[in-house]
Amino acid sequence: MLRSMRYGEADRILHLYTPHRGRTGAIAKGVRRARSRFGGRLEPYFRLHMVLYDGKSDLMTVTSAETVSGHPRLREHAAALDSAARACDAVSRLFATPEPHPGVFALLCNELALLDAQPAMATHANQLAFRLKLLLAAGLAPQLAGCAVCGESDHLTSFSGSAGGVVCSACEASAFPLGREAHAFLTGALASPLADAPSPSEVALRQADRAISETLEHHANVRLRPALPG
Ligand SMILES: [Zn+2]
């Protein structure tokens, strides 16, 4: 579950991310009553097995819900909880339609399970690694192996969101400087599991963050919340 909002006297509207129907909305009727049959199961960042009734309205109705994982440890750590919220928000905005992306579902499950198993993983590097993998799933991974304008493989000193990747010193007109460490982070985070993403210096993370943000803005028209609380 990505998000939950109060609705009417006792109901909640849920934003869900599903493996086969992408992002979808559902209403849980009576869930806020003391003796609701859903108990405390319908909370954000829960992984659930749900039965949904697809009626005539825009929202499906929750018929039943079983907890696969409630991620209880994640909830005891402010930074992990915040990272979970940012990860869900990023999925919600970048994959806002019912188009199925089972890989995105699996990636979000991995991220929430990782934050629950190791709340100390809730770092800037982890959030950026997660966003990079979302870009890859959206077909928008930045070009990192050669200049995105001319193909040159040396002197890759800058990054251009509009060109869609790293650029060489001859093509850097609309680009900003991207150091070797930031470049290595982008390449390494895309190539390794979330739990093994590199953790470079804060300077490199800021450059990588800008590269990801500009890629999202130029190619997906999406502006996400900052990857770290400001
Ligand atoms: Zn070039």
Side-chain angles (χ1 to χ4, degrees):
M1 182 185 313
L2 304 173
R3 238 182 123 189
S4 141
M5 284 157 299
R6 289 165 175 243
Y7 183 75
E9 296 239 315
D11 305 343
R12 277 188 182 280
I13 289 178
L14 315 177
H15 288 180
L16 305 170
Y17 200 80
T18 68
H20 305 299
R21 300 181 72 145
R23 199 184 90 171
T24 192
I27 185 162
K29 291 189 174 153
V31 68
R32 282 157 53 218
R33 293 210 173 90
R35 276 180 293 169
S36 159
R37 64 204 155 100
F38 299 119
R41 285 189 290 275
L42 296 182
E43 296 290 329
Y45 327 133
F46 267 51
R47 181 173 175 180
L48 298 150
H49 184 226
M50 295 178 120
V51 177
L52 302 171
Y53 171 73
D54 196 357
K56 296 238 157 51
S57 88
D58 290 345
L59 292 171
M60 293 193 277
T61 303
V62 181
T63 305
S64 72
E66 274 172 54
T67 305
V68 177
S69 174
H71 304 118
R73 281 175 302 263
L74 175 164
R75 286 157 200 284
E76 293 164 10
H77 295 81
L81 196 58
D82 185 81
S83 282
R86 281 163 208 272
C88 286
D89 187 65
V91 167
S92 181
R93 295 210 213 180
L94 197 51
F95 296 91
T97 69
E99 195 188 329
H101 289 280
V104 172
F105 177 81
L107 179 63
L108 182 60
C109 288
N110 282 347
E111 172 73 351
L112 294 175
L114 178 65
L115 292 170
D116 188 55
Q118 298 175 60
M121 288 291 294
T123 58
H124 195 185
N126 166 262
Q127 190 68 219
L128 294 181
F130 179 74
R131 288 182 181 188
L132 272 169
K133 288 176 184 296
L134 284 185
L135 279 173
L136 182 65
L140 298 174
Q143 185 173 330
L144 298 170
C147 174
V149 177
C150 73
E152 169 72 47
S153 56
D154 292 323
H155 311 293
L156 302 170
T157 52
S158 305
F159 188 96
S160 164
S162 56
V166 291
V167 292
C168 73
S169 42
C171 299
E172 67 189 7
S174 68
F176 66 89
L178 187 90
R180 200 172 295 182
E181 198 190 359
H183 190 176
F185 170 77
L186 294 172
T187 309
L190 273 174
S192 53
L194 276 172
D196 303 332
S199 26
S201 68
E202 197 49 47
V203 173
L205 284 173
R206 276 199 296 273
Q207 291 176 351
D209 200 334
R210 184 169 170 191
I212 294 166
S213 301
E214 290 197 6
T215 302
L216 279 163
E217 281 170 34
H218 276 283
H219 301 286
N221 272 318
V222 167
R223 201 183 183 113
L224 296 182
R225 291 153 65 182
L228 255 200

